[in-house]
Amino acid sequence: MSDTLQTALQHHLAGRLDEAEAIYQALLQDMPNHPDALHLLGDIANQRGQFESAVKLITQAIAANPSISTYYGTLGRTYKNQRNLSEALACYQQALSLKPDDAIVHNSLGNVFFDQGLVAEAIASYETALSFQPDLAEVHVNMGNALQAEARFDEAVQSYLKALALQPGHIVTYNKLGNVLLSQGKLADAQASYDIALSIAPDIAETHCNLGNVYQGQHKLDEAAASYRKALSLKPDFPEAYNNLGNTLQAQAKLDEAISCFRHALELNPEYVDAYGNLGHALKAQGELDEAINCYRQALTLQPDSAAAHFNLGTALMEQGKLDDAIPCYRTAIAYHPNYVEAHCNLGVALKEQKKYDEALLCYQNALVIAPESVDVLYNLGVMYGLIKQSAIAEKWYRKALEIDPDLVSAHANLAVILRDQGHWDEAQQHRNLAYRKQCIFITRAPHAARTVLMLLDAGKANVPFTRLFPVESNSLIEWMIEYATPDQYLELPPYDLVFNAIGDPDVIHVTTQPVADFLQHCTKPVLNSPEAVARTPRHLMSELFAGIEGLVIPAVWQVKQEGDWFANPDFQFPALARPLASHGGEGVFLVQDAAELAKVPVDRSGSIYLCAYYDYRSADGYFRKY
């Protein structure tokens, strides 16, 4: 190499591109086909982003001397910068045909494969590069990236550690190492990696953002928010930090601030699909379903094959009660992501609401194959088998769900009902206690509710059809199992417009009388179905309560303790109906013709029963009718 070219190259390597360019141009004036000068001038054009000029110059160099592998490598790098990956690939392969042991070119070839989504081929190229030159930190980093893309996380960690051993102060690698550890759920190790990066360079916004992700995963929301805000103070045009801060604020129930963050992220990057999804979630949480749906649709415009966006859209439509529109969304999500357990489950919910029980059950069975340990799947299988009256199978699935999540309130509550119906009263009570001592307030929000109704309930939900009285389409409901209320829990209730006492069975109100009375002392809202009125309506007082109403027949009813010769009361009228206290729908009812048959009626667990004089009210056609 001539002294002149050597001087130019020194300027070039030192970043003094103008000085280097002037010397290369002077050389070319004397020797227009000087291959090194053409090649290096093309490299400067590539560095400046003047790709067409770079391609022209390097191609001229290759024409002047086609035997130099470096020229093909530089041309490949130029094509890669142009995103012309096929041409880049051809250049690197030509370079390797001339110099097969060039580790740098094998690495560059791997990068092209990686960008093309050919991860296995990329890994093979990196392995070849390292076989020739094992101390190239950059190749170890690239190998880590490829291994992480294939979910080979432990191997990716080892690659990043090898890179850091060779290049201990490389901030980007510490961040990459932290990211893969974070994806493995190794939060403490990820935090250590980010902390090292910050000790080297404390003002890198990306590292603060990554540290915020660790805090978010640790549910340290204040610390997470502080890290994201620090990142934004260092880099105000950082859409990812705004998006992540929005997620933290939403988790803190600061929905207005979260929405503002998501909107900032979208102002900075209008094609940020995740930010549209997160903005939709926040708007949905505010009850703004139409706006949320617009966000999900916008996400799908940008990324039509996003299973998550189809799922989110389906969920919002289902909350609007648009099941026919929601179901295709879930089916599309599953088509793009067949193992999407949540989509299978939500599709099951929608089909269940349409009373398509066989199809719904199939959805949960498909989900079970994918996630046999999913509590949500196991619980919903219990629900479905309960709906099709296969209570023994329902019980099995509830118990499996509770093996995995012993605190699942809904499974305890539903299992308690099954056990009660089987006559396993004590175990049923145990599960009721486990359910409602953990959670006794349940909220159902209607998107366009005319009012919010506080429903006072006992743990059995009695027999009052309150969803008929207050349809969920137009009423938000707060169901309060007041039997399990703590003394000051009324202070924690969400705002409501009126109270409905749904504890309508006077045979069971003894367990709720005091907590209801305590609450009503503080209640300033209208109360429907007052407890005092309910207390006047046990079955054995009906004839007195309705006496004198013309055309109304009220048979005599006795409340009887089942002790001694309880069945031999001469006042009893036969035939008669014997039934347990607090029973409904004909459960446990016996028709008896005389005292001898009455004596055979099983002793109820309460120790008392009702005996009602039988009144045959069949119509002329032989049918009984209940209105």
Side-chain angles (χ1 to χ4, degrees):
M1 184 181 291
S2 69
D3 291 342
T4 302
L5 189 62
Q6 183 69 43
T7 300
L9 188 57
Q10 288 173 354
H11 285 305
H12 193 158
L13 294 173
R16 296 186 293 272
L17 300 185
D18 290 343
E19 291 88 337
E21 181 181 25
I23 296 173
Y24 298 145
Q25 293 283 14
L27 282 169
L28 289 171
Q29 283 185 354
D30 295 334
M31 300 177 62
N33 290 320
H34 192 300
D36 286 337
L38 287 167
H39 165 245
L40 293 168
L41 195 59
D43 188 39
I44 287 177
N46 178 40
Q47 288 177 263
R48 288 172 169 166
Q50 299 164 348
F51 301 127
E52 291 184 9
S53 177
V55 168
K56 181 179 179 181
L57 288 164
I58 300 168
T59 301
Q60 286 179 293
I62 290 171
N65 186 355
S67 65
I68 306 298
S69 66
T70 306
Y71 297 173
Y72 291 100
T74 306
L75 182 58
R77 190 165 64 250
T78 303
Y79 279 128
K80 185 173 185 297
N81 289 338
Q82 279 186 308
R83 304 304 301 164
N84 189 341
L85 298 182
S86 59
E87 290 290 347
L89 186 67
C91 287
Y92 291 138
Q93 289 172 331
Q94 182 63 34
L96 289 172
S97 72
L98 295 168
K99 190 178 180 183
D101 62 348
D102 191 329
I104 299 298
V105 176
H106 279 291
N107 177 59
S108 298
L109 181 63
N111 291 342
V112 171
F113 282 134
F114 188 79
D115 287 351
Q116 289 179 322
L118 303 171
V119 181
E121 289 85 345
I123 290 172
S125 291
Y126 299 140
E127 287 173 341
T128 304
L130 291 170
S131 71
F132 292 123
Q133 199 169 339
D135 60 349
L136 282 175
E138 178 187 356
V139 184
H140 286 291
V141 171
N142 292 338
M143 177 70 88
N145 297 342
L147 291 166
Q148 184 175 6
E150 289 222 314
R152 294 162 62 178
F153 299 126
D154 289 336
E155 295 172 81
V157 166
Q158 292 307 310
S159 290
Y160 292 137
L161 289 173
K162 288 175 184 176
L164 289 168
L166 294 165
Q167 202 173 18
H170 199 251
I171 307 302
V172 172
T173 307
Y174 277 112
N175 274 295
K176 288 179 178 292
L177 174 60
N179 291 346
V180 70
L181 290 167
L182 181 62
S183 70
Q184 288 182 296
K186 298 177 179 178
L187 301 182
D189 292 340
Q191 182 173 350
S193 188
Y194 299 138
D195 285 341
I196 293 171
L198 288 172
S199 70
I200 299 168
D203 292 334
I204 303 297
E206 286 77 8
T207 312
H208 285 285
C209 188
N210 289 336
L211 184 58
N213 295 341
V214 170
Y215 287 133
Q216 179 87 345
Q218 293 171 331
H219 305 291
K220 297 178 179 178
L221 300 182
D222 290 338
E223 292 89 336
S227 291
Y228 296 136
R229 293 188 195 281
K230 177 66 175 177
L232 288 167
S233 72
L234 295 166
K235 185 179 177 181
D237 59 345
F238 193 173
E240 289 78 12
Y242 272 115
N243 178 69
N244 294 354
L245 177 58
N247 286 334
T248 299
L249 293 167
Q250 183 168 357
Q252 293 177 315
K254 299 175 180 178
L255 292 178
D256 289 337
E257 295 176 66
I259 287 169
S260 176
C261 285
F262 297 135
R263 293 196 192 282
H264 275 302
L266 289 166
E267 287 170 8
L268 294 167
N269 180 5
E271 297 186 354
Y272 195 167
V273 173
D274 286 348
Y276 276 113
N278 291 329
L279 177 58
H281 298 336
L283 290 166
K284 183 155 71 77
Q286 281 193 329
E288 302 293 340
L289 287 176
D290 288 336
E291 287 190 59
I293 286 169
N294 288 337
C295 288
Y296 299 140
R297 292 194 191 282
Q298 184 63 39
L300 286 170
T301 300
L302 296 167
Q303 192 175 341
D305 60 352
S306 169
H310 284 287
F311 173 83
N312 293 335
L313 178 58
T315 302
L317 290 166
M318 188 159 68
E319 286 195 24
Q320 286 188 323
K322 298 176 180 177
L323 299 179
D324 289 336
D325 296 327
I327 285 170
C329 293
Y330 294 135
R331 294 197 190 279
T332 305
I334 292 167
Y336 285 124
H337 182 7
N339 290 341
Y340 200 157
V341 174
E342 294 83 358
H344 284 285
C345 286
N346 276 24
L347 177 58
V349 171
L351 292 166
K352 180 189 71 178
E353 290 299 311
Q354 291 187 329
K355 301 193 184 309
K356 297 176 180 177
Y357 293 152
D358 290 342
E359 292 181 63
L361 184 57
L362 181 61
C363 290
Y364 297 125
Q365 289 168 338
N366 290 337
L368 184 68
V369 173
I370 301 164
E373 299 296 309
S374 166
V375 172
D376 192 35
V377 174
L378 298 171
Y379 169 76
N380 278 298
L381 280 167
V383 171
M384 288 311 308
Y385 279 107
L387 286 171
I388 61 177
K389 309 300 182 186
Q390 296 188 33
S391 58
I393 302 177
E395 177 184 350
K396 178 188 80 170
W397 292 114
Y398 288 137
R399 290 192 186 278
K400 282 184 176 292
L402 289 169
E403 286 174 10
I404 298 171
D405 183 1
D407 294 329
L408 186 59
V409 169
S410 52
H412 281 296
N414 291 358
L415 182 56
V417 173
I418 291 174
L419 292 167
R420 181 202 65 192
D421 292 344
Q422 292 173 345
H424 302 310
W425 299 97
D426 292 339
E427 191 182 359
Q429 186 63 50
Q430 290 172 10
H431 283 283
R432 263 199 304 274
N433 291 342
L434 287 167
Y436 299 127
R437 284 176 182 162
K438 183 169 184 63
Q439 181 184 351
C440 63
I441 297 174
F442 303 85
I443 302 171
T444 304
R445 298 285 186 198
H448 304 290
R451 68 193 62 78
T452 298
V453 184
L454 174 63
M455 318 293 301
L456 304 183
L457 296 160
D458 62 16
K461 290 196 176 182
N463 195 39
V464 177
F466 57 85
T467 56
R468 299 277 189 236
L469 300 171
F470 301 101
V472 293
E473 294 80 14
S474 55
N475 296 275
S476 289
L477 303 181
I478 304 168
E479 298 179 36
W480 189 16
M481 308 301 167
I482 198 167
E483 172 184 345
Y484 291 89
T486 54
D488 294 327
Q489 196 170 39
Y490 69 93
L491 297 171
E492 304 168 16
L493 293 169
Y496 54 90
D497 300 302
L498 61 92
V499 178
F500 180 74
N501 174 36
I503 308 168
D505 189 336
D507 294 328
V508 298
I509 60 173
H510 60 280
V511 295
T512 56
T513 298
Q514 193 58 51
V516 169
D518 293 343
F519 164 67
L520 292 180
Q521 284 184 344
H522 304 282
C523 179
T524 59
K525 301 293 184 179
V527 178
L528 301 179
N529 204 32
S530 74
E532 294 82 2
V534 171
R536 295 172 55 213
T537 62
R539 293 180 187 273
H540 65 292
L541 299 183
M542 287 294 100
S543 58
E544 178 183 340
L545 190 63
F546 293 113
I549 300 178
E550 185 177 353
L552 192 62
V553 177
I554 305 293
V557 180
W558 298 266
Q559 191 181 83
V560 185
K561 286 191 177 298
Q562 292 176 286
E563 54 187 28
D565 293 335
W566 62 274
F567 48 85
N569 189 329
D571 293 333
F572 293 163
Q573 299 174 21
F574 294 99
L577 297 173
R579 66 186 306 153
L581 274 59
S583 69
H584 302 276
E587 294 178 8
V589 173
F590 295 89
L591 175 61
V592 295
Q593 300 297 329
D594 52 34
E597 287 189 12
L598 181 58
K600 297 175 183 177
V601 170
V603 176
D604 187 65
R605 64 188 299 269
S606 68
S608 296
I609 63 166
Y610 283 121
L611 188 68
C612 174
Y614 177 68
Y615 180 74
D616 189 343
Y617 63 94
R618 277 176 289 189
S619 302
D621 58 9
Y623 286 100
F624 292 93
R625 288 173 171 80
K626 182 177 180 180
Y627 299 95

